[in-house]
Amino acid sequence: MSVVIYNTLSRQKETFEPLSPNQVKMYCCGVTVYDYCHLGHARSYIVWDTVRRYLTWRGYNVRYVQNFTDIDDKILTRARKEKSSMEAVAKKYTAAYLEDMARLNVLEADEYTYATHTIDGIKRLIHELEQKGYAYPAEGDVYYSVRKFEGYGKLSGRKLEDMRAGESGRTETQQTQIKQDPFDFALWKSAKLDEPAWESPWGPGRPGWHIECSAMVRDRLGDTIDIHMGGADLQFPHHENEIAQSEAVTGAPLSTYWMHNGMVNVEGTKMSKSLGNFTTIRNLLDAPDGPNPMAIRMFVMQSQYRMPLDFTESAIAAAKKGWATLNDGLNFGQQYGKNLGWKLNETDLELEAAAVQQFQASMDDDFNTPGAVAVLFGLAKELQRQSNLIVHQGSPDADLWTLQQHWRTLVQLAGVLGLEAQNQEESATDSDSTNGISDAEIEKLVEARSLAKQSKNYAESDRIRDDLKAQGITLIDKPGGVTVWHR
RNA sequence: GGCGGCAUGGCCAAGUGGUAAGGCAGAGGAUUGCAAAUCCUUUACCCCCAGUUCGAAUCUGGGUGCCGCCUCCA
């Protein structure tokens, strides 16, 4: 069995075969750093993080490179607005990106690249394109002559004659007049007054958007990589243009597989900065009753990465609840393992084969995370049941070995999806120290409540229970008038 | 106008030829003084029409609706 990937290039699922056995070179189109990231970005990078984690778990040696676009009109506009510099704005939002992603448990790339650090490679590439007749200078700009590249449109499946230039209403009129063809795009833009600029054979200026990715991939990973990924909205023109640039120069395919994630929608339409219908990651997480970052991962994992994903209050609420169940399961070992006599560091325990097999079958099929998450829930619900038995009856009804295996399997597989529990012991200690109430005091209150119950003074007994609840202590009445509690 | 995608229970969402995973919510029951938690049970003519097939949510054709892209985009 091998991994199957939906390749945008062929519009079908293909068996994954890396160029060199067990080596995977991945390049992910990163963000333009002019603002905080929103949920659309969160989805995208959580998805690619998961692909990377899964391939790694499957035994591939993955090299993951991602860029930051730190030269761009939007950054400049932002810098003017904030009376700052392009560099400062880019720095600020690059840092913010890294913070947000760390919270979402997105692993750092093996290498991050920056447009500003790739100027030489960019200039080299443009020069080669010029020599090979694919690029032409015009009034200090340099443009790519799209009609010279035979395969233009092969990724997005479109023909130049079918497209309406300027359909989206965003064409820059100035450029339109300079370009030989409306579909030609800028490789190099001449600098206007008080704009950051780099020296070049075509005069001072800065690179166009698409060229940086071509240059970075070539510099860091080589002429052909295994997987190139990004948002579905990058398919055209960005990735199409990358292909045109890279392949015209190298004569080799830029990437064997192209993967695109579906958009995050708000009330049926795409979340985007220009529409203003976005929620930033930090706003969502930092809201008073905001979700745990892992709940966001759950939210993303519960739909297939190529499908649109609707962001709604109720979807987040459902993900929060779902995460709570999973989190309980993940904490089972910390909570009960010691009492059950587990050795927690025992790692040579075999995982539960059926669950692993089902998980892998789902994930192998173009990263079917909803199927994989269902496996996680199967394990978590069983642990939840056992946990309830322990609390109410004092012991589980499964043998300890099986329980430990369940738990280890859950932790391991959830980890492959980047779903990790908070360290419960830590938070428990936290609440011990910050929460003034001691065990003895709780016992006293529980005792008082039992007496109140016996005399049928339920108002009093409920008051005590509510008070304790407010302090994070849950009471459980068991048959026979016994009450147990836990924080 | 062109290209692509999607339509599955109250909401979300897997399933791509053998008669519907999972999550959230709901209902009934067990338990409880009432709760909480948990357990058990339970809710689907798979957008419409036609076709292929012994058999289709799944394939084919035709509708209808929604979404994305056509040089800001994750």
Side-chain angles (χ1 to χ4, degrees):
Chain A
M1 283 267 286
S2 46
V3 178
V4 168
I5 294 179
Y6 181 89
N7 191 350
T8 307
L9 208 48
S10 66
R11 306 204 169 277
Q12 55 194 18
K13 289 182 184 177
E14 297 174 8
T15 300
F16 179 59
E17 282 167 24
L19 295 162
S20 329
N22 291 324
Q23 303 286 316
V24 181
K25 296 186 201 172
M26 302 172 87
Y27 180 86
C28 178
C29 282
V31 282
T32 302
V33 277
Y34 73 98
D35 201 350
Y36 292 115
C37 287
H38 57 61
L39 269 174
H41 302 107
R43 181 193 199 182
S44 193
Y45 299 112
I46 286 172
V47 162
W48 305 131
D49 180 57
T50 306
V51 168
R52 174 200 193 178
R53 285 172 184 264
Y54 184 68
L55 290 176
T56 304
W57 183 72
R58 283 293 254 117
Y60 292 102
N61 186 355
V62 178
R63 183 161 162 71
Y64 183 102
V65 177
Q66 188 173 318
N67 74 303
F68 286 108
T69 298
D70 58 354
I71 304 175
D72 181 86
D73 284 344
K74 288 204 173 65
I75 309 174
L76 277 171
T77 309
R78 187 90 187 199
R80 286 193 193 104
K81 217 171 90 187
E82 294 185 359
K83 296 202 169 23
S84 175
S85 68
M86 186 166 86
E87 199 188 349
V89 169
K91 261 205 168 120
K92 175 179 168 185
Y93 292 108
T94 301
Y97 168 89
L98 292 170
E99 277 171 30
D100 291 345
M101 292 305 141
R103 292 176 76 180
L104 295 169
N105 204 19
V106 169
L107 296 173
E108 289 205 357
D110 292 310
E111 190 170 6
Y112 288 109
T113 62
Y114 301 81
T116 50
H117 299 180
T118 318
I119 301 292
D120 284 347
I122 289 171
K123 287 195 283 195
R124 247 188 341 263
L125 209 54
I126 298 175
H127 179 68
E128 282 184 69
L129 283 168
E130 210 176 8
Q131 280 191 320
K132 297 197 173 183
Y134 288 96
Y136 60 90
E139 300 183 23
D141 298 343
V142 183
Y143 291 96
Y144 188 101
S145 188
V146 157
R147 284 177 203 278
K148 296 259 170 63
F149 184 69
E150 211 183 324
Y152 196 79
K154 68 179 177 182
L155 179 71
S156 52
R158 54 190 82 205
K159 301 186 182 96
L160 286 171
E161 52 270 27
D162 289 340
M163 290 193 289
R164 291 186 185 181
E167 177 67 22
S168 66
R170 276 183 247 109
T171 357
E172 292 172 49
T173 43
Q174 277 176 312
Q175 279 196 358
T176 312
Q177 285 158 6
I178 306 173
K179 289 194 272 191
Q180 289 174 1
D181 185 287
F183 292 108
D184 290 351
F185 57 90
L187 297 166
W188 189 263
K189 297 177 178 179
S190 63
K192 300 183 190 83
L193 276 178
D194 56 270
E195 276 183 3
W198 287 262
E199 281 309 318
S200 85
W202 315 280
R206 56 199 164 93
W209 174 36
H210 314 292
I211 194 70
E212 63 176 69
C213 287
S214 285
M216 290 176 196
V217 170
R218 198 180 189 200
D219 278 7
R220 308 297 175 174
L221 294 170
D223 286 355
T224 302
I225 63 172
D226 294 294
I227 306 174
H228 192 126
M229 58 250 186
D233 51 358
L234 297 184
Q235 216 175 94
F236 188 90
H238 185 56
H239 288 161
E240 200 69 69
N241 290 351
E242 278 185 52
I243 288 175
Q245 293 161 346
S246 296
E247 298 189 2
V249 164
T250 66
L254 173 56
S255 179
T256 317
Y257 301 88
W258 287 82
M259 295 178 73
H260 293 95
N261 67 275
M263 299 292 100
V264 170
N265 289 170
V266 180
E267 280 161 28
T269 37
K270 179 182 158 185
M271 177 180 285
S272 76
K273 288 183 188 170
S274 48
L275 288 175
N277 61 345
F278 62 90
T279 303
T280 63
I281 296 167
R282 43 189 62 200
N283 278 163
L284 181 67
L285 293 180
D286 295 339
D289 196 25
N292 183 288
M294 290 298 112
I296 301 302
R297 269 192 101 103
M298 278 284 302
F299 168 62
V300 170
M301 293 294 153
Q302 284 197 283
S303 73
Q304 215 276 344
Y305 75 92
R306 283 186 281 118
M307 300 289 117
L309 175 59
D310 221 35
F311 169 62
T312 59
E313 285 287 325
S314 63
I316 296 297
K320 277 162 88 170
K321 301 270 290 194
W323 168 244
T325 298
L326 231 41
N327 193 46
D328 283 350
L330 290 169
N331 277 317
F332 188 90
Q334 283 79 5
Q335 199 156 12
Y336 304 108
K338 215 171 170 182
N339 291 339
L340 294 173
W342 293 1
K343 292 180 213 144
L344 286 181
N345 291 324
E346 188 185 326
T347 47
D348 55 359
L349 190 79
E350 258 181 58
L351 299 184
E352 195 178 312
V356 172
Q357 193 270 329
Q358 208 188 327
F359 177 89
Q360 187 172 317
S362 288
M363 290 298 284
D364 274 358
D365 182 14
D366 196 30
F367 309 97
N368 185 347
T369 51
V373 168
V375 175
L376 264 39
F377 271 107
L379 293 164
K381 292 254 165 166
E382 172 61 12
L383 290 170
Q384 195 170 46
R385 215 190 108 243
Q386 297 294 340
S387 151
N388 191 249
L389 287 173
I390 293 170
V391 170
H392 283 88
Q393 298 174 11
S395 65
D397 68 359
D399 70 84
L400 298 185
W401 190 85
T402 306
L403 267 185
Q404 190 167 358
Q405 192 191 34
H406 266 311
W407 179 68
R408 284 216 171 277
T409 308
L410 176 64
V411 170
Q412 162 102 206
L413 296 182
V416 175
L417 301 183
L419 295 168
E420 288 166 22
Q422 275 77 32
N423 191 327
Q424 180 129 80
E425 287 175 88
E426 244 177 51
S427 53
T429 342
D430 278 357
S431 61
D432 270 353
S433 50
T434 55
N435 198 337
I437 194 156
S438 71
D439 288 10
E441 285 174 285
I442 296 169
E443 302 286 1
K444 237 166 90 182
L445 286 166
V446 169
E447 184 59 26
R449 174 169 171 273
S450 294
L451 290 171
K453 272 176 66 177
Q454 273 165 34
S455 52
K456 303 219 188 291
N457 185 356
Y458 296 124
E460 173 64 6
S461 68
D462 287 354
R463 188 193 61 75
I464 294 172
R465 183 171 63 194
D466 290 347
D467 277 4
L468 286 170
K469 181 91 192 165
Q471 297 178 74
I473 289 131
T474 306
L475 301 188
I476 299 156
D477 292 335
K478 300 207 299 183
V482 182
T483 300
V484 296
W485 61 272
H486 65 83
R487 290 180 194 267

